[in-house]
Amino acid sequence: MAILEIVLEGDPRLRQKATKIKTVDGALRRLAADMRETMLAAPGVGLAAPQVGVTRRMIVVHLPAGYAEEGDPEIDWTLINPEIVRAQGREVDQEGCLSIPGWVGDVARADRITVKGMDLDGKGVRIKAEGWAARVLQHEIDHLDGILYVDRLEPDTTLRRVSDLVDEDALEDADDEDRPEPMVDNSAAHRSDETAA
Ligand SMILES: [Zn+2]
């Protein structure tokens, strides 16, 4: 496995519509493994193939156990040709992107979605996701259509620097040792106090 170079905003590959994958072969499985390793090393919670310069329709998602609430199971998905077939609800939360490091902004996403696609055995899969997991999936699937979260910023909001957020948190929560660090990554700059809303 290998850690791949992450393509940054401004690279035209991030703005192309990625092509549908017809065959699951060894090369694709290797790419999936490398994408997963790259995502975990970043660290990030999601990565789409165009972000490593491959304009094909594949995404990886990883959320640790307890990512939003205690008891949430670990999520570890690799999806080929993912497609949203059902979307309900609307929630605004902040997101970041490994291709736009150092910034976060507010984006509205569907709160509950159903995604169909294919796994690395070439079998059809159907995934139901809600909350943060649904947000990550929507962010990654957008990448396959050349869409970045900054295209979807809520009106009257602007991007915020992550370094400013970290400083605020350090001041406000200096005595709260249990509080997780803001997780700024490919798909969601997630702060535990912001998902409850
Ligand atoms: Zn992204």
mmCIF file with all atom_site columns, all heavy atoms in Angstrom, residues 62-82:
data_model
loop_
_atom_site.group_PDB
_atom_site.id
_atom_site.type_symbol
_atom_site.label_atom_id
_atom_site.label_alt_id
_atom_site.label_comp_id
_atom_site.label_asym_id
_atom_site.label_entity_id
_atom_site.label_seq_id
_atom_site.pdbx_PDB_ins_code
_atom_site.Cartn_x
_atom_site.Cartn_y
_atom_site.Cartn_z
_atom_site.occupancy
_atom_site.B_iso_or_equiv
_atom_site.pdbx_formal_charge
_atom_site.auth_seq_id
_atom_site.auth_comp_id
_atom_site.auth_asym_id
_atom_site.auth_atom_id
_atom_site.pdbx_PDB_model_num
ATOM 1   N N   . HIS A 1 62 ? -14.315 6.547  6.402   1.00 0.00 ? 62 HIS A N   1
ATOM 2   C CA  . HIS A 1 62 ? -14.022 5.884  7.683   1.00 0.00 ? 62 HIS A CA  1
ATOM 3   C C   . HIS A 1 62 ? -14.387 6.803  8.836   1.00 0.00 ? 62 HIS A C   1
ATOM 4   O O   . HIS A 1 62 ? -13.890 7.919  8.948   1.00 0.00 ? 62 HIS A O   1
ATOM 5   C CB  . HIS A 1 62 ? -12.542 5.504  7.811   1.00 0.00 ? 62 HIS A CB  1
ATOM 6   C CG  . HIS A 1 62 ? -12.255 4.855  9.134   1.00 0.00 ? 62 HIS A CG  1
ATOM 7   N ND1 . HIS A 1 62 ? -11.801 5.555  10.224  1.00 0.00 ? 62 HIS A ND1 1
ATOM 8   C CD2 . HIS A 1 62 ? -12.424 3.576  9.547   1.00 0.00 ? 62 HIS A CD2 1
ATOM 9   C CE1 . HIS A 1 62 ? -11.686 4.731  11.253  1.00 0.00 ? 62 HIS A CE1 1
ATOM 10  N NE2 . HIS A 1 62 ? -12.054 3.529  10.868  1.00 0.00 ? 62 HIS A NE2 1
ATOM 11  N N   . LEU A 1 63 ? -15.288 6.319  9.690   1.00 0.00 ? 63 LEU A N   1
ATOM 12  C CA  . LEU A 1 63 ? -15.621 7.040  10.914  1.00 0.00 ? 63 LEU A CA  1
ATOM 13  C C   . LEU A 1 63 ? -15.343 6.111  12.091  1.00 0.00 ? 63 LEU A C   1
ATOM 14  O O   . LEU A 1 63 ? -15.757 4.951  12.076  1.00 0.00 ? 63 LEU A O   1
ATOM 15  C CB  . LEU A 1 63 ? -17.101 7.444  10.924  1.00 0.00 ? 63 LEU A CB  1
ATOM 16  C CG  . LEU A 1 63 ? -17.546 8.432  9.843   1.00 0.00 ? 63 LEU A CG  1
ATOM 17  C CD1 . LEU A 1 63 ? -19.051 8.654  9.920   1.00 0.00 ? 63 LEU A CD1 1
ATOM 18  C CD2 . LEU A 1 63 ? -16.837 9.760  10.016  1.00 0.00 ? 63 LEU A CD2 1
ATOM 19  N N   . PRO A 1 64 ? -14.637 6.611  13.101  1.00 0.00 ? 64 PRO A N   1
ATOM 20  C CA  . PRO A 1 64 ? -14.321 5.757  14.253  1.00 0.00 ? 64 PRO A CA  1
ATOM 21  C C   . PRO A 1 64 ? -15.573 5.431  15.063  1.00 0.00 ? 64 PRO A C   1
ATOM 22  O O   . PRO A 1 64 ? -16.563 6.173  15.005  1.00 0.00 ? 64 PRO A O   1
ATOM 23  C CB  . PRO A 1 64 ? -13.341 6.615  15.063  1.00 0.00 ? 64 PRO A CB  1
ATOM 24  C CG  . PRO A 1 64 ? -13.650 8.023  14.668  1.00 0.00 ? 64 PRO A CG  1
ATOM 25  C CD  . PRO A 1 64 ? -14.140 7.975  13.249  1.00 0.00 ? 64 PRO A CD  1
ATOM 26  N N   . ALA A 1 65 ? -15.530 4.353  15.816  1.00 0.00 ? 65 ALA A N   1
ATOM 27  C CA  . ALA A 1 65 ? -16.634 4.014  16.714  1.00 0.00 ? 65 ALA A CA  1
ATOM 28  C C   . ALA A 1 65 ? -16.918 5.207  17.622  1.00 0.00 ? 65 ALA A C   1
ATOM 29  O O   . ALA A 1 65 ? -15.998 5.879  18.075  1.00 0.00 ? 65 ALA A O   1
ATOM 30  C CB  . ALA A 1 65 ? -16.279 2.781  17.532  1.00 0.00 ? 65 ALA A CB  1
ATOM 31  N N   . GLY A 1 66 ? -18.202 5.471  17.866  1.00 0.00 ? 66 GLY A N   1
ATOM 32  C CA  . GLY A 1 66 ? -18.573 6.587  18.728  1.00 0.00 ? 66 GLY A CA  1
ATOM 33  C C   . GLY A 1 66 ? -18.345 7.940  18.096  1.00 0.00 ? 66 GLY A C   1
ATOM 34  O O   . GLY A 1 66 ? -18.167 8.943  18.783  1.00 0.00 ? 66 GLY A O   1
ATOM 35  N N   . TYR A 1 67 ? -18.384 8.013  16.763  1.00 0.00 ? 67 TYR A N   1
ATOM 36  C CA  . TYR A 1 67 ? -18.031 9.257  16.068  1.00 0.00 ? 67 TYR A CA  1
ATOM 37  C C   . TYR A 1 67 ? -18.963 10.414 16.379  1.00 0.00 ? 67 TYR A C   1
ATOM 38  O O   . TYR A 1 67 ? -18.543 11.559 16.387  1.00 0.00 ? 67 TYR A O   1
ATOM 39  C CB  . TYR A 1 67 ? -17.944 9.031  14.552  1.00 0.00 ? 67 TYR A CB  1
ATOM 40  C CG  . TYR A 1 67 ? -19.198 8.481  13.914  1.00 0.00 ? 67 TYR A CG  1
ATOM 41  C CD1 . TYR A 1 67 ? -20.206 9.331  13.496  1.00 0.00 ? 67 TYR A CD1 1
ATOM 42  C CD2 . TYR A 1 67 ? -19.362 7.115  13.739  1.00 0.00 ? 67 TYR A CD2 1
ATOM 43  C CE1 . TYR A 1 67 ? -21.352 8.821  12.913  1.00 0.00 ? 67 TYR A CE1 1
ATOM 44  C CE2 . TYR A 1 67 ? -20.495 6.598  13.151  1.00 0.00 ? 67 TYR A CE2 1
ATOM 45  C CZ  . TYR A 1 67 ? -21.501 7.457  12.743  1.00 0.00 ? 67 TYR A CZ  1
ATOM 46  O OH  . TYR A 1 67 ? -22.623 6.942  12.176  1.00 0.00 ? 67 TYR A OH  1
ATOM 47  N N   . ALA A 1 68 ? -20.247 10.114 16.607  1.00 0.00 ? 68 ALA A N   1
ATOM 48  C CA  . ALA A 1 68 ? -21.174 11.194 16.948  1.00 0.00 ? 68 ALA A CA  1
ATOM 49  C C   . ALA A 1 68 ? -21.727 10.979 18.354  1.00 0.00 ? 68 ALA A C   1
ATOM 50  O O   . ALA A 1 68 ? -21.756 11.886 19.176  1.00 0.00 ? 68 ALA A O   1
ATOM 51  C CB  . ALA A 1 68 ? -22.309 11.277 15.937  1.00 0.00 ? 68 ALA A CB  1
ATOM 52  N N   . GLU A 1 69 ? -22.149 9.753  18.602  1.00 0.00 ? 69 GLU A N   1
ATOM 53  C CA  . GLU A 1 69 ? -22.668 9.431  19.931  1.00 0.00 ? 69 GLU A CA  1
ATOM 54  C C   . GLU A 1 69 ? -22.049 8.130  20.396  1.00 0.00 ? 69 GLU A C   1
ATOM 55  O O   . GLU A 1 69 ? -21.683 7.287  19.583  1.00 0.00 ? 69 GLU A O   1
ATOM 56  C CB  . GLU A 1 69 ? -24.194 9.243  19.871  1.00 0.00 ? 69 GLU A CB  1
ATOM 57  C CG  . GLU A 1 69 ? -24.947 10.536 19.705  1.00 0.00 ? 69 GLU A CG  1
ATOM 58  C CD  . GLU A 1 69 ? -26.432 10.280 19.478  1.00 0.00 ? 69 GLU A CD  1
ATOM 59  O OE1 . GLU A 1 69 ? -26.931 9.232  19.920  1.00 0.00 ? 69 GLU A OE1 1
ATOM 60  O OE2 . GLU A 1 69 ? -27.065 11.130 18.836  1.00 0.00 ? 69 GLU A OE2 1
ATOM 61  N N   . GLU A 1 70 ? -21.971 7.985  21.703  1.00 0.00 ? 70 GLU A N   1
ATOM 62  C CA  . GLU A 1 70 ? -21.457 6.747  22.275  1.00 0.00 ? 70 GLU A CA  1
ATOM 63  C C   . GLU A 1 70 ? -22.283 5.584  21.718  1.00 0.00 ? 70 GLU A C   1
ATOM 64  O O   . GLU A 1 70 ? -23.500 5.670  21.650  1.00 0.00 ? 70 GLU A O   1
ATOM 65  C CB  . GLU A 1 70 ? -21.601 6.821  23.802  1.00 0.00 ? 70 GLU A CB  1
ATOM 66  C CG  . GLU A 1 70 ? -20.608 5.964  24.537  1.00 0.00 ? 70 GLU A CG  1
ATOM 67  C CD  . GLU A 1 70 ? -20.750 6.110  26.044  1.00 0.00 ? 70 GLU A CD  1
ATOM 68  O OE1 . GLU A 1 70 ? -21.110 7.221  26.497  1.00 0.00 ? 70 GLU A OE1 1
ATOM 69  O OE2 . GLU A 1 70 ? -20.515 5.125  26.732  1.00 0.00 ? 70 GLU A OE2 1
ATOM 70  N N   . GLY A 1 71 ? -21.617 4.529  21.303  1.00 0.00 ? 71 GLY A N   1
ATOM 71  C CA  . GLY A 1 71 ? -22.359 3.385  20.775  1.00 0.00 ? 71 GLY A CA  1
ATOM 72  C C   . GLY A 1 71 ? -22.455 3.370  19.265  1.00 0.00 ? 71 GLY A C   1
ATOM 73  O O   . GLY A 1 71 ? -22.838 2.361  18.682  1.00 0.00 ? 71 GLY A O   1
ATOM 74  N N   . ASP A 1 72 ? -22.111 4.473  18.614  1.00 0.00 ? 72 ASP A N   1
ATOM 75  C CA  . ASP A 1 72 ? -22.084 4.446  17.146  1.00 0.00 ? 72 ASP A CA  1
ATOM 76  C C   . ASP A 1 72 ? -21.026 3.447  16.692  1.00 0.00 ? 72 ASP A C   1
ATOM 77  O O   . ASP A 1 72 ? -19.879 3.517  17.139  1.00 0.00 ? 72 ASP A O   1
ATOM 78  C CB  . ASP A 1 72 ? -21.704 5.832  16.581  1.00 0.00 ? 72 ASP A CB  1
ATOM 79  C CG  . ASP A 1 72 ? -22.839 6.827  16.682  1.00 0.00 ? 72 ASP A CG  1
ATOM 80  O OD1 . ASP A 1 72 ? -23.992 6.390  16.812  1.00 0.00 ? 72 ASP A OD1 1
ATOM 81  O OD2 . ASP A 1 72 ? -22.567 8.040  16.631  1.00 0.00 ? 72 ASP A OD2 1
ATOM 82  N N   . PRO A 1 73 ? -21.392 2.525  15.808  1.00 0.00 ? 73 PRO A N   1
ATOM 83  C CA  . PRO A 1 73 ? -20.384 1.567  15.343  1.00 0.00 ? 73 PRO A CA  1
ATOM 84  C C   . PRO A 1 73 ? -19.402 2.215  14.372  1.00 0.00 ? 73 PRO A C   1
ATOM 85  O O   . PRO A 1 73 ? -19.732 3.221  13.723  1.00 0.00 ? 73 PRO A O   1
ATOM 86  C CB  . PRO A 1 73 ? -21.220 0.508  14.629  1.00 0.00 ? 73 PRO A CB  1
ATOM 87  C CG  . PRO A 1 73 ? -22.464 1.220  14.205  1.00 0.00 ? 73 PRO A CG  1
ATOM 88  C CD  . PRO A 1 73 ? -22.708 2.317  15.213  1.00 0.00 ? 73 PRO A CD  1
ATOM 89  N N   . GLU A 1 74 ? -18.204 1.650  14.296  1.00 0.00 ? 74 GLU A N   1
ATOM 90  C CA  . GLU A 1 74 ? -17.219 2.117  13.320  1.00 0.00 ? 74 GLU A CA  1
ATOM 91  C C   . GLU A 1 74 ? -17.780 1.952  11.907  1.00 0.00 ? 74 GLU A C   1
ATOM 92  O O   . GLU A 1 74 ? -18.467 0.976  11.612  1.00 0.00 ? 74 GLU A O   1
ATOM 93  C CB  . GLU A 1 74 ? -15.937 1.284  13.463  1.00 0.00 ? 74 GLU A CB  1
ATOM 94  C CG  . GLU A 1 74 ? -14.843 1.698  12.495  1.00 0.00 ? 74 GLU A CG  1
ATOM 95  C CD  . GLU A 1 74 ? -13.615 0.788  12.588  1.00 0.00 ? 74 GLU A CD  1
ATOM 96  O OE1 . GLU A 1 74 ? -13.751 -0.369 13.050  1.00 0.00 ? 74 GLU A OE1 1
ATOM 97  O OE2 . GLU A 1 74 ? -12.535 1.235  12.190  1.00 0.00 ? 74 GLU A OE2 1
ATOM 98  N N   . ILE A 1 75 ? -17.491 2.923  11.058  1.00 0.00 ? 75 ILE A N   1
ATOM 99  C CA  . ILE A 1 75 ? -17.906 2.853  9.651   1.00 0.00 ? 75 ILE A CA  1
ATOM 100 C C   . ILE A 1 75 ? -16.656 2.749  8.795   1.00 0.00 ? 75 ILE A C   1
ATOM 101 O O   . ILE A 1 75 ? -15.688 3.486  8.996   1.00 0.00 ? 75 ILE A O   1
ATOM 102 C CB  . ILE A 1 75 ? -18.724 4.106  9.279   1.00 0.00 ? 75 ILE A CB  1
ATOM 103 C CG1 . ILE A 1 75 ? -20.132 3.995  9.867   1.00 0.00 ? 75 ILE A CG1 1
ATOM 104 C CG2 . ILE A 1 75 ? -18.769 4.302  7.764   1.00 0.00 ? 75 ILE A CG2 1
ATOM 105 C CD1 . ILE A 1 75 ? -20.981 5.227  9.649   1.00 0.00 ? 75 ILE A CD1 1
ATOM 106 N N   . ASP A 1 76 ? -16.669 1.808  7.869   1.00 0.00 ? 76 ASP A N   1
ATOM 107 C CA  . ASP A 1 76 ? -15.526 1.598  6.987   1.00 0.00 ? 76 ASP A CA  1
ATOM 108 C C   . ASP A 1 76 ? -16.063 1.174  5.621   1.00 0.00 ? 76 ASP A C   1
ATOM 109 O O   . ASP A 1 76 ? -16.328 0.005  5.388   1.00 0.00 ? 76 ASP A O   1
ATOM 110 C CB  . ASP A 1 76 ? -14.630 0.502  7.593   1.00 0.00 ? 76 ASP A CB  1
ATOM 111 C CG  . ASP A 1 76 ? -13.230 0.531  7.003   1.00 0.00 ? 76 ASP A CG  1
ATOM 112 O OD1 . ASP A 1 76 ? -13.010 1.247  6.014   1.00 0.00 ? 76 ASP A OD1 1
ATOM 113 O OD2 . ASP A 1 76 ? -12.361 -0.175 7.551   1.00 0.00 ? 76 ASP A OD2 1
ATOM 114 N N   . TRP A 1 77 ? -16.286 2.142  4.747   1.00 0.00 ? 77 TRP A N   1
ATOM 115 C CA  . TRP A 1 77 ? -16.943 1.874  3.480   1.00 0.00 ? 77 TRP A CA  1
ATOM 116 C C   . TRP A 1 77 ? -16.009 2.165  2.306   1.00 0.00 ? 77 TRP A C   1
ATOM 117 O O   . TRP A 1 77 ? -15.292 3.175  2.297   1.00 0.00 ? 77 TRP A O   1
ATOM 118 C CB  . TRP A 1 77 ? -18.176 2.776  3.298   1.00 0.00 ? 77 TRP A CB  1
ATOM 119 C CG  . TRP A 1 77 ? -19.314 2.511  4.226   1.00 0.00 ? 77 TRP A CG  1
ATOM 120 C CD1 . TRP A 1 77 ? -19.723 1.304  4.728   1.00 0.00 ? 77 TRP A CD1 1
ATOM 121 C CD2 . TRP A 1 77 ? -20.223 3.490  4.769   1.00 0.00 ? 77 TRP A CD2 1
ATOM 122 N NE1 . TRP A 1 77 ? -20.829 1.482  5.536   1.00 0.00 ? 77 TRP A NE1 1
ATOM 123 C CE2 . TRP A 1 77 ? -21.150 2.790  5.577   1.00 0.00 ? 77 TRP A CE2 1
ATOM 124 C CE3 . TRP A 1 77 ? -20.338 4.878  4.641   1.00 0.00 ? 77 TRP A CE3 1
ATOM 125 C CZ2 . TRP A 1 77 ? -22.185 3.447  6.256   1.00 0.00 ? 77 TRP A CZ2 1
ATOM 126 C CZ3 . TRP A 1 77 ? -21.365 5.523  5.307   1.00 0.00 ? 77 TRP A CZ3 1
ATOM 127 C CH2 . TRP A 1 77 ? -22.278 4.814  6.107   1.00 0.00 ? 77 TRP A CH2 1
ATOM 128 N N   . THR A 1 78 ? -16.033 1.297  1.330   1.00 0.00 ? 78 THR A N   1
ATOM 129 C CA  . THR A 1 78 ? -15.481 1.600  0.013   1.00 0.00 ? 78 THR A CA  1
ATOM 130 C C   . THR A 1 78 ? -16.627 1.425  -0.960  1.00 0.00 ? 78 THR A C   1
ATOM 131 O O   . THR A 1 78 ? -17.255 0.367  -1.002  1.00 0.00 ? 78 THR A O   1
ATOM 132 C CB  . THR A 1 78 ? -14.338 0.636  -0.358  1.00 0.00 ? 78 THR A CB  1
ATOM 133 O OG1 . THR A 1 78 ? -13.290 0.790  0.601   1.00 0.00 ? 78 THR A OG1 1
ATOM 134 C CG2 . THR A 1 78 ? -13.798 0.949  -1.753  1.00 0.00 ? 78 THR A CG2 1
ATOM 135 N N   . LEU A 1 79 ? -16.950 2.456  -1.708  1.00 0.00 ? 79 LEU A N   1
ATOM 136 C CA  . LEU A 1 79 ? -18.099 2.399  -2.613  1.00 0.00 ? 79 LEU A CA  1
ATOM 137 C C   . LEU A 1 79 ? -17.680 2.778  -4.023  1.00 0.00 ? 79 LEU A C   1
ATOM 138 O O   . LEU A 1 79 ? -17.023 3.796  -4.252  1.00 0.00 ? 79 LEU A O   1
ATOM 139 C CB  . LEU A 1 79 ? -19.187 3.360  -2.137  1.00 0.00 ? 79 LEU A CB  1
ATOM 140 C CG  . LEU A 1 79 ? -20.062 2.895  -0.970  1.00 0.00 ? 79 LEU A CG  1
ATOM 141 C CD1 . LEU A 1 79 ? -20.960 4.030  -0.522  1.00 0.00 ? 79 LEU A CD1 1
ATOM 142 C CD2 . LEU A 1 79 ? -20.887 1.678  -1.373  1.00 0.00 ? 79 LEU A CD2 1
ATOM 143 N N   . ILE A 1 80 ? -18.097 1.929  -4.952  1.00 0.00 ? 80 ILE A N   1
ATOM 144 C CA  . ILE A 1 80 ? -17.841 2.150  -6.376  1.00 0.00 ? 80 ILE A CA  1
ATOM 145 C C   . ILE A 1 80 ? -19.145 2.610  -7.024  1.00 0.00 ? 80 ILE A C   1
ATOM 146 O O   . ILE A 1 80 ? -20.213 2.059  -6.721  1.00 0.00 ? 80 ILE A O   1
ATOM 147 C CB  . ILE A 1 80 ? -17.338 0.837  -7.010  1.00 0.00 ? 80 ILE A CB  1
ATOM 148 C CG1 . ILE A 1 80 ? -16.004 0.440  -6.357  1.00 0.00 ? 80 ILE A CG1 1
ATOM 149 C CG2 . ILE A 1 80 ? -17.197 0.965  -8.520  1.00 0.00 ? 80 ILE A CG2 1
ATOM 150 C CD1 . ILE A 1 80 ? -15.650 -1.008 -6.549  1.00 0.00 ? 80 ILE A CD1 1
ATOM 151 N N   . ASN A 1 81 ? -19.071 3.611  -7.842  1.00 0.00 ? 81 ASN A N   1
ATOM 152 C CA  . ASN A 1 81 ? -20.244 4.190  -8.519  1.00 0.00 ? 81 ASN A CA  1
ATOM 153 C C   . ASN A 1 81 ? -21.374 4.522  -7.540  1.00 0.00 ? 81 ASN A C   1
ATOM 154 O O   . ASN A 1 81 ? -22.529 4.186  -7.783  1.00 0.00 ? 81 ASN A O   1
ATOM 155 C CB  . ASN A 1 81 ? -20.775 3.237  -9.595  1.00 0.00 ? 81 ASN A CB  1
ATOM 156 C CG  . ASN A 1 81 ? -19.729 2.911  -10.644 1.00 0.00 ? 81 ASN A CG  1
ATOM 157 O OD1 . ASN A 1 81 ? -18.846 3.720  -10.927 1.00 0.00 ? 81 ASN A OD1 1
ATOM 158 N ND2 . ASN A 1 81 ? -19.816 1.729  -11.235 1.00 0.00 ? 81 ASN A ND2 1
ATOM 159 N N   . PRO A 1 82 ? -21.070 5.185  -6.425  1.00 0.00 ? 82 PRO A N   1
ATOM 160 C CA  . PRO A 1 82 ? -22.129 5.475  -5.458  1.00 0.00 ? 82 PRO A CA  1
ATOM 161 C C   . PRO A 1 82 ? -23.126 6.484  -6.016  1.00 0.00 ? 82 PRO A C   1
ATOM 162 O O   . PRO A 1 82 ? -22.749 7.401  -6.759  1.00 0.00 ? 82 PRO A O   1
ATOM 163 C CB  . PRO A 1 82 ? -21.366 6.085  -4.270  1.00 0.00 ? 82 PRO A CB  1
ATOM 164 C CG  . PRO A 1 82 ? -20.162 6.696  -4.889  1.00 0.00 ? 82 PRO A CG  1
ATOM 165 C CD  . PRO A 1 82 ? -19.787 5.796  -6.040  1.00 0.00 ? 82 PRO A CD  1
#
